[in-house]
Amino acid sequence: MPAALPRGGHRSNVIVHRNRPETDRKRRAISAAGLDSLHVVLDFDHTLTAYLSPDDGEKCPECHDVLQHGPYRPSARRDSFRAAIDAVWADQRSGTLGSPIEWWIRFHDAVVAHGITEDEMREAARGAHVALRPGAAELLAWLHARGVRTTIVSAGVSTVIEEVFERHGVEYQG
């Protein structure tokens, strides 16, 4: 069972193992197999990206937050899009969504219905305060430099992910 978060919400560097000998065996096997056999799988929202902004301590937006709050024009279109997304969030909070997939489908249907373009998504991502976690860019650069297969998984939007990586100087071929 992982230890509780220390005051301030930051985890310590303590690692809890259910079965330390098995963990050590797996580490030795991975090391012996070499980087050619390694495939690293990482999540994007609030894993590679920070949960809290290092600048102001506010919650960093996830991919869908970035899209919801983009600077779309005209303002009536932007307001209509945001209202549609607010309704999806409200249904999620009230428990009236049939499944998690329904949330995703309704969100993306609203993107299509409001004609949100890829260029507008990129503009929204450039204007959003999405910070990478400390060390994330360096980890990705290290993996890239050594040719380690790396997959970024996300329920987010690849256009937003690409723009965030570009802003932070991360090379990634998704």
Side-chain angles (χ1 to χ4, degrees):
M1 182 66 123
L5 289 176
R7 188 177 179 157
H10 302 287
R11 292 191 184 273
S12 70
N13 61 357
V14 174
I15 299 173
V16 178
H17 302 271
R18 284 190 177 167
N19 183 338
R20 181 62 188 250
E22 182 64 12
T23 300
D24 290 341
R25 184 193 68 71
K26 289 176 182 178
R27 282 184 180 154
R28 285 190 302 275
I30 291 168
S31 181
L35 293 179
D36 291 342
S37 67
L38 188 61
H39 185 168
V40 175
V41 179
L42 300 164
D43 178 57
F44 184 76
D45 283 322
H46 294 167
T47 302
L48 284 173
T49 64
Y51 181 77
L52 297 177
S53 166
D55 297 332
D56 59 17
E58 294 292 320
K59 182 178 174 274
C60 286
E62 297 177 74
C63 287
H64 288 88
D65 300 323
V66 168
L67 292 185
Q68 181 178 7
H69 299 289
Y72 311 117
R73 292 169 289 285
S75 60
R77 175 173 162 250
R78 179 188 62 230
D79 295 345
S80 174
F81 176 64
R82 288 180 182 171
I85 301 309
D86 284 343
V88 176
W89 286 117
D91 287 349
Q92 180 185 28
R93 284 189 299 276
S94 71
T96 59
L97 288 180
S99 71
I101 292 172
E102 184 181 344
W103 179 94
W104 193 89
I105 290 169
R106 285 182 53 196
F107 191 106
H108 290 269
D109 283 351
V111 168
V112 171
H114 288 84
I116 307 297
T117 68
E118 184 174 354
D119 287 343
E120 289 175 313
M121 291 180 194
R122 290 190 183 284
E123 181 182 1
R126 282 192 296 273
H129 187 67
V130 180
L132 293 179
R133 283 190 188 271
E138 294 82 0
L139 170 64
L140 291 166
W142 189 92
L143 294 167
H144 179 75
R146 286 155 183 82
V148 176
R149 290 178 299 156
T150 305
T151 300
I152 309 300
V153 296
S154 180
V157 178
S158 62
T159 303
V160 173
I161 294 169
E162 292 164 4
E163 197 63 40
V164 169
F165 280 168
E166 184 176 316
R167 185 176 53 200
H168 290 281
V170 172
E171 291 184 48
Y172 178 73
Q173 297 296 319

